[in-house]
Amino acid sequence: MKGKGVGMKQITLKRVLAVGAATLAAAVVFWFMLPAINPLDPNFWIFLAIVAAFYAAAILFTGDRRALASTAVKVGKGPGGQNIELHLPKSKGLKIAALVVLAGLAAAGLLWLIGQPVFNASRYRDLLVRQEGSFTEDIAELSMDQIPVVDRDTAQRLGARKLGEMSDLVSQFEIAPDYTQINLNDRPVRVTPLVYGDIIKWFNNNSQGIPAYIQVDMVTQETTLVRLEEGMKYAPCEYLMRDLQRYLRFHYPTKIFDNYSFEVDEDGTPYWIAPTIRYRIGVWGGRDISGVVLVNAVTGEHRFYPLEEIPQWVDQVYRADIVIEQLTYNGKYQDGFWNAYFGQKGVLRPTEGYNYIAMNDDVYLYTGMTSVASDQSNVGFVLVNMRTKDTRFYSVPGAEELSAMSSAEGQVQHLNYTATFPLLLNVADRPTYFLSLKDAAGLVKMYAFVDVERYQVVGTGATVDEAQASYVKALSQEADVDAGGGEEKAGVIERISSAVVDGNTRYYFTLKGDAAVYVAAIQVSDRLPFLAPGDSVALRYAGGADGGTCEVLSLQ
């Protein structure tokens, strides 16, 4: 009896140690995997499967090896009359566990199936609601000094150059690829944080934190390295409990997070924007956003905001891939599931590419909508508010973005410039694509305006003003195109002078009884070099009057 007791004690100790090792291994997996403790998170089930495997291995390692043996259970006949057998462990406990796993997989498959579009086409369509918009009313004409000319690629080049100028930082830090587009004090800018160069440099600098972030003005291309009074202590490049994903997981164990983005508030304080995911259809269908957690990157202060309470300064709540996915559903299932594949009446899809527009202190995603026939033309376009997901559809038939890019490149084909994906602007009350033209080194050399409805109408120039003047002139030469927009004015020139700006002649004049200064590029009218004080003119202009500066669109 004494020997038997000792053996049982040894087996029990061995099992305790094995179970303890399995528990430790599960904790290590959780530390690195960081799944949400939420049955709606697919990663949660993967984690449970891994943990179950650890404990099963521990039990088998310390138990009877015969438990590994299996027995065959006949479940049916195959096409050739052969028996179909399911092999289950002889051990009763393992047999129950195997059956539970199989039942769980079957249930998960069923839940996945009932959430598919074939049963929920209208619900997928309504994940995003399109409202009809008025182009001329919703999209105001921008002054030429407000048009963003910097895309992500250019911003990355400008940021790398700026960091290279900082000898105290360039050896220890690199630049994150984020370059989030935001509105900062009514200016479109891109912002991105610095990151530690490697783990050794993290050891050298983590006590002070990340000292700065890069800010690129998308209009002027001015690049600033914004130094912080106190460094950022919480970021995806951090380790241990200051790693952003781990920090959020331990404070919000049940939240399912989407990818994070970097923004700054109106005072320049850096934040991490962490949207939370919900599934609106079935169990895992209809991915959407339920709110955001804002994390102060310096102090770690955090708070969850539901969608309706998110602060106005936050610009990027919805990621572009979620918006494009829901736009695809919305265009595809307008008339049900089967119509999306047979007949395809009214079926639309987003075009290949998108860009961002800053309006009314928000950032909007722009993309065209085209028919599934892929006829290289758009039936209209959408603007999606990236904070609220408010979506407006504008029925403006015209050229697809890639066609407009080719048209702009064709104007300067002798220079072999490549066009950026266009922005959509209101120029002279006409939907107009604006593009930058880059050389082989990726540097912006010229700009182009392309009419959406008639993509053969193109204006190019070395400056935005010159390109716009060339475009307005091209519009005026189209007999059946109404190049409207702007305000009209008639008067007598009081003073006039000219100046060369960026290699282009521009004329500045005032009218009698009018405090505004009118600016006209040489391309606007051949009369400009011959005008003198006392001459009468009739013009159309954009911009604020009442003492402000106005851009002349046409002159007679």
Side-chain angles (χ1 to χ4, degrees):
M1 293 293 293
K2 184 176 180 181
K4 185 177 180 181
V6 172
M8 290 180 63
K9 183 177 180 180
Q10 290 174 341
I11 293 174
T12 302
L13 178 59
K14 186 177 180 181
R15 178 161 291 185
V16 168
L17 291 175
V19 171
T23 302
L24 179 61
V28 171
V29 170
F30 183 84
W31 177 265
F32 288 102
M33 189 176 177
L34 296 171
I37 310 302
N38 187 328
L40 298 181
D41 183 7
N43 288 327
F44 174 69
W45 295 103
I46 296 173
F47 172 71
L48 284 186
I50 294 172
V51 172
F54 285 156
Y55 281 106
I59 293 171
L60 292 174
F61 178 71
T62 59
D64 186 351
R65 297 296 189 273
R66 289 176 297 177
L68 293 173
S70 63
T71 182
V73 177
K74 182 180 176 182
V75 296
K77 291 282 188 180
Q82 72 275 23
N83 291 331
I84 299 176
E85 297 178 339
L86 179 65
H87 290 265
L88 296 174
K90 284 185 176 180
S91 167
K92 185 177 180 181
L94 290 178
K95 186 182 295 185
I96 293 173
L99 289 172
V100 169
V101 169
L102 290 173
L105 290 174
L110 179 61
L111 290 173
W112 173 84
L113 181 62
I114 63 177
Q116 292 304 294
V118 65
F119 303 113
N120 303 276
S122 62
R123 297 179 68 188
Y124 275 91
R125 178 197 63 204
D126 295 338
L127 286 172
L128 177 146
V129 179
R130 281 187 289 158
Q131 298 178 336
E132 293 290 330
S134 169
F135 178 80
T136 55
E137 293 179 6
D138 294 351
I139 304 176
E141 288 195 47
L142 292 178
S143 171
M144 292 301 106
D145 61 0
Q146 294 179 309
I147 296 177
V149 301
V150 175
D151 61 1
R152 183 184 297 274
D153 177 67
T154 303
Q156 289 175 334
R157 295 174 186 272
L158 294 171
R161 185 186 305 166
K162 175 57 68 173
L163 182 61
E165 299 171 358
M166 305 298 167
S167 58
D168 60 324
L169 297 178
V170 69
S171 65
Q172 298 295 306
F173 296 92
E174 298 175 356
I175 303 176
D178 301 52
Y179 285 96
T180 311
Q181 181 171 335
I182 64 172
N183 260 354
L184 182 62
N185 298 315
D186 294 326
R187 296 288 294 180
V189 303
R190 288 186 179 269
V191 290
T192 193
L194 301 186
V195 297
Y196 301 107
D198 52 46
I199 192 169
I200 302 301
K201 293 166 184 175
W202 174 78
F203 274 112
N204 295 336
N205 297 280
N206 76 87
S207 60
Q208 291 81 32
I210 300 169
Y213 61 87
I214 297 286
Q215 177 178 308
V216 181
D217 189 302
M218 297 178 64
V219 176
T220 65
Q221 304 189 51
E222 179 183 358
T223 306
T224 308
L225 187 138
V226 181
R227 294 182 181 266
L228 302 167
E229 293 183 4
E230 185 178 349
M232 291 180 274
K233 302 294 197 318
Y234 300 87
C237 65
E238 282 284 356
Y239 295 89
L240 304 176
M241 286 304 296
R242 279 165 43 179
D243 171 78
L244 181 63
Q245 184 180 4
R246 188 169 295 114
Y247 183 75
L248 284 168
R249 174 55 62 231
F250 280 88
H251 283 90
Y252 299 90
T254 63
K255 295 288 187 186
I256 305 173
F257 288 103
D258 196 19
N259 288 348
Y260 319 117
S261 62
F262 179 80
E263 293 193 29
V264 300
D265 66 11
E266 301 298 333
D267 298 321
T269 303
Y271 279 86
W272 292 103
I273 314 301
T276 56
I277 289 177
R278 63 169 173 167
Y279 297 97
R280 293 173 51 185
I281 302 172
V283 179
W284 296 298
R287 180 180 59 151
D288 208 354
I289 301 299
S290 61
V292 297
V293 174
L294 301 187
V295 181
N296 186 308
V298 175
T299 65
E301 181 183 358
H302 54 86
R303 179 181 170 184
F304 172 76
Y305 292 87
L307 286 175
E308 62 274 9
E309 298 178 12
I310 295 174
Q312 177 72 31
W313 63 264
V314 178
D315 290 313
Q316 297 272 1
V317 172
Y318 291 86
R319 281 194 300 123
D321 68 317
I322 290 181
V323 170
I324 295 298
E325 179 181 72
Q326 295 187 2
L327 278 172
T328 301
Y329 290 144
N330 184 268
K332 188 175 184 179
Y333 300 126
Q334 279 296 308
D335 201 16
F337 178 82
W338 299 112
N339 179 70
Y341 301 95
F342 305 101
Q344 299 184 322
K345 179 182 177 182
V347 175
L348 304 176
R349 63 172 178 83
T351 53
E352 297 179 6
Y354 60 87
N355 213 326
Y356 297 106
I357 301 173
M359 296 189 308
N360 306 321
D361 200 28
D362 275 316
V363 171
Y364 291 77
L365 179 142
Y366 152 77
T367 189
M369 297 295 289
T370 185
S371 68
V372 292
S374 299
D375 54 0
Q376 295 188 334
S377 63
N378 288 345
V379 299
F381 60 89
V382 293
L383 293 180
V384 184
N385 188 309
M386 299 302 281
R387 179 174 58 86
T388 65
K389 207 176 66 173
D390 176 62
T391 302
R392 299 296 176 94
F393 174 77
Y394 301 89
S395 181
V396 181
E400 198 176 39
E401 293 87 348
L402 296 179
S403 298
M405 293 166 66
S406 297
S407 182
E409 291 169 353
Q411 289 291 109
V412 291
Q413 58 183 332
H414 59 291
L415 299 173
N416 293 321
Y417 291 163
T418 56
T420 60
F421 193 84
L423 287 170
L424 185 74
L425 302 178
N426 180 347
V427 179
D429 273 354
R430 293 188 64 81
T432 303
Y433 291 129
F434 171 78
L435 315 91
S436 298
L437 295 165
K438 297 183 177 183
D439 63 12
L443 301 176
V444 176
K445 293 296 186 180
M446 295 182 71
Y447 306 95
F449 290 86
V450 181
D451 190 72
V452 170
E453 297 182 17
R454 295 193 175 190
Y455 66 97
Q456 75 274 12
V457 179
V458 183
T460 61
T463 66
V464 176
D465 288 330
E466 181 182 342
Q468 186 231 17
S470 173
Y471 171 66
V472 171
K473 184 174 182 179
L475 279 177
S476 65
Q477 293 173 349
E478 294 287 315
D480 55 344
V481 173
D482 178 19
E487 301 290 334
E488 295 184 351
K489 189 86 172 183
V492 176
I493 293 178
E494 184 174 42
R495 299 177 60 189
I496 184 170
S497 61
S498 64
V500 177
V501 181
D502 294 328
N504 299 282
T505 303
R506 294 174 63 78
Y507 290 83
Y508 300 79
F509 58 89
T510 58
L511 302 178
K512 289 183 178 180
D514 188 345
V517 176
Y518 297 90
V519 184
I522 183 62
Q523 292 83 1
V524 168
S525 173
D526 294 334
R527 287 186 60 201
L528 283 167
F530 306 103
L531 292 177
D535 289 344
S536 296
V537 293
L539 54 89
R540 185 166 46 83
Y541 66 91
D546 300 327
T549 300
C550 305
E551 185 74 24
V552 177
L553 304 177
S554 64
L555 184 143
Q556 296 178 352

